[in-house]
Each structure stands twice: as structure tokens, then as C-alpha cells.
Amino acid sequence: MEKLIFNGEFIDRSASKVDVEDRGYQFGDGVYEVIRVYNGKLFTSQMHLDRLIDSAKKISLDVGYTAAELEILIQQLVTENQLTYGTVYMQFTRGAAPRNHAFPVDKIQSVFVAYTKVIPYGGEVKSGKQAITTEDIRWLRCDIKSLNLLGNILAKQQAVEKGCFEAIQHRGDTITEGSSSNISIVKDNVLITHPPANLILNGITRRVMLHLCQTNGISYREESFTISEMMNADEVIMTSTSAEITPITLIDGKVIGAGTPGPITNKLQQLFHQEIEMQCGRVYSTT
Ligand code: PMP
């Protein structure tokens, strides 16, 4: 039986109980992370856990654990559930209290949940994916990885209804990010991606990719770009923990670049795969 972590305890999922007045359940008052597991090992866990604690701080939520303590717990969960390829989902909510928008006056215990999910590993995504563009209707603190994902959900649903993989959001003319990913373009061999600010989540995959650019002589700029710059780019790339580095080759029905994954995307996928193997050891396709 698979276990999950509920407030520090390893329990069966069927034994977990969430209070109806948990503030995460009622208000989305909490933060979360998704960490990838390859070969039974956590990938870039330090960066994810630092971001989790940082997100919690930004909403004045005391998680009550250090990143190092959390890492030990979730590695134990991965081992316990014998997870080889998949993800660990974890979230903290502010806790349960009589419903009231303001924080409870008396300090309550935050509620911590973590569970694992198996994801078959098929290696790099070789075929280009399709996307749509949509107005970014979210709040102005997208740097916080909060449980409030309604804007993201509505955007993704629009994409799915059009048979597409991702919705690329824009504020006016400026591209911000995908509904669950960061978006970068390549023009004349330079990779361009939105700077980390309040309008996007500073993705870990994005940061690993930029580090790989830096160490492998690929020019990049952290600068915002417009819808038309994206439509006329040579390559469009989406990055996320689940999608890794994925080429986008059709947006709103228009072919991007040559219509196939471009050379910089291919190179970055290769380098990213090497990075995974450096951190997690040799990985094998399970599909
Ligand atoms: N932006 C949003 C809105 C996301 O949900 C995600 C996925 N977590 C990302 C960007 C990519 O972040 P990461 O590479 O850390 O998964």
C-alpha cells in the first residue's frame, strides 16, 4: 500500500483526513511544489525546497521545517513507495480554523501533505507540441507557487479543448508564461525568456536550462518578448518539471520556425538529460 506524508507521519491515503475548514481547501491558502524523481532519486530537490520555503514566507506561512528536514522526509517517502520514475507532490496549507478571510488570531498548525505519483519515463520529447495563446488573467504575484490555480486551470482547459498541449499566456502584447510552464524563444541563435519577476514563476527547469546555456556557450537574454516575436521565432520552448524541455512547433495554428524541433532545443534537451544523469545516475526509458 502506497504511503503519503500527513503532518510528518507516514500513513495510508485512506487514513488521511482534511478538515472542511482547512484554509487550503476553502481559500487556496497554501503553497506547493512538484519534484521529479528519476531512478529513485530526487532531481533539483534543493532548489524546489528553497522555493517552497520562499513561497511560504511570501504569504507569511510558517512551514515549521527546514529544507534539509523536508528533503529527508520526502526521500524516505520515495524509498517507502519504491518510486523509480515519477514525482513527489507536496503542499503546506495555513491549517484549519473557523472560516474567516483574515489569518487566525491564535497561531494554528500548518498542514503538510506529500504523496508520490508514478510517471513512466520516455526520455526527451522528440515531437513538437501545439499551443494556443490566451490573455493572462491571473493575479500579480505569480512568483508565489500558491494553491490558487484557477487562472492557470482555465487557461489549460482552453488549450485542451482545442486539442493543444499548453496555453501560452500574455499580458497585453507581452508573453508571460505557460499555464504550467515557462516559455522561451530562440531567435538568431539567442534564447530569450521572461525575467524572473512577479509576473512569472521562476521555474527550476528554466533556471537549469539557463545554467546549461551559460556553461555551454549558448547565448541567452532574460527579457520579455511580444506575441509577434514569439510567432516569428526560430524555436519556441516550454519548460517545466513534468515537461522538462519540450519544443512547441505550432501556436494558434501557425507553424513556428521550420515546424520541427530546432537545433538549440535539441541541444538543450541533450544537455538536460546529461544533467539528470549527473544528479540521479543512469536513467532508462520505461515506456
Ligand atoms: N510556471 C507555472 C505557472 C508553473 O505551474 C510551472 C510548473 N511548476 C512552471 C512555470 C515551471 O516551473 P518548474 O520548472 O519549476 O516546474
Side-chain angles (χ1 to χ4, degrees), residues 104-280:
V105 178
D106 297 324
K107 194 170 172 353
I108 52 169
Q109 203 206 337
S110 60
V111 174
F112 168 44
V113 172
Y115 64 88
T116 56
K117 182 170 138 190
V118 174
I119 302 180
Y121 185 63
E124 296 97 324
V125 178
K126 289 296 176 207
S127 59
K129 300 283 185 191
Q130 300 185 25
I132 57 158
T133 55
T134 188
E135 185 68 37
D136 192 338
I137 59 164
R138 301 171 304 158
W139 71 332
L140 297 173
R141 291 307 305 274
C142 297
D143 54 313
I144 300 172
K145 200 161 169 62
S146 101
L147 295 177
N148 283 280
L149 290 174
L150 261 183
N152 308 60
I153 287 167
L154 294 177
K156 182 76 91 187
Q157 184 58 24
Q158 279 182 48
V160 168
E161 283 171 13
K162 290 185 175 133
C164 289
F165 190 65
E166 181 58 303
I168 301 175
Q169 302 170 104
H170 53 88
R171 286 192 193 265
D173 204 26
T174 302
I175 300 291
T176 51
E177 63 179 341
S179 71
S180 61
S181 64
N182 292 113
I183 301 294
S184 307
I185 61 173
V186 177
K187 187 70 186 175
D188 299 330
N189 294 317
V190 179
L191 184 138
I192 306 165
T193 196
H194 198 290
N198 64 316
L199 298 183
I200 67 157
L201 182 75
N202 190 357
I204 308 294
T205 319
R206 167 194 183 283
R207 276 144 68 184
V208 172
M209 179 181 72
L210 294 183
H211 174 74
L212 292 171
C213 286
Q214 202 167 36
T215 48
N216 289 278
I218 300 170
S219 306
Y220 72 90
R221 291 202 307 264
E222 288 184 274
E223 244 173 50
S224 60
F225 52 88
T226 64
I227 301 172
S228 79
E229 282 169 326
M230 177 176 77
M231 298 309 254
N232 293 300
D234 302 324
E235 303 176 39
V236 175
I237 301 172
M238 75 177 265
T239 54
S240 76
T241 296
S242 331
E244 301 175 335
I245 293 177
T246 290
I248 304 268
T249 49
L250 199 77
I251 305 176
D252 292 339
K254 182 182 179 296
V255 172
I256 302 300
T260 51
I264 293 197
T265 310
N266 290 336
K267 178 76 186 162
L268 285 169
Q269 283 186 319
Q270 223 178 60
L271 293 168
F272 192 76
H273 193 85
Q274 284 170 14
E275 185 64 33
I276 294 170
E277 294 203 326
M278 244 164 55
Q279 289 190 29
C280 303

Side-chain angles (χ1 to χ4, degrees), residues 43-59:
F43 180 61
T44 54
S45 50
Q46 192 67 50
M47 291 165 94
H48 282 279
L49 293 168
D50 286 349
R51 184 172 67 184
L52 179 68
I53 288 170
D54 192 47
S55 284
K57 270 201 191 116
K58 288 173 174 171
I59 63 163

Side-chain angles (χ1 to χ4, degrees), residues 14-25:
S14 56
S16 64
K17 280 203 191 92
V18 175
D19 192 288
V20 292
E21 286 192 309
D22 185 287
R23 293 178 61 91
Y25 182 59

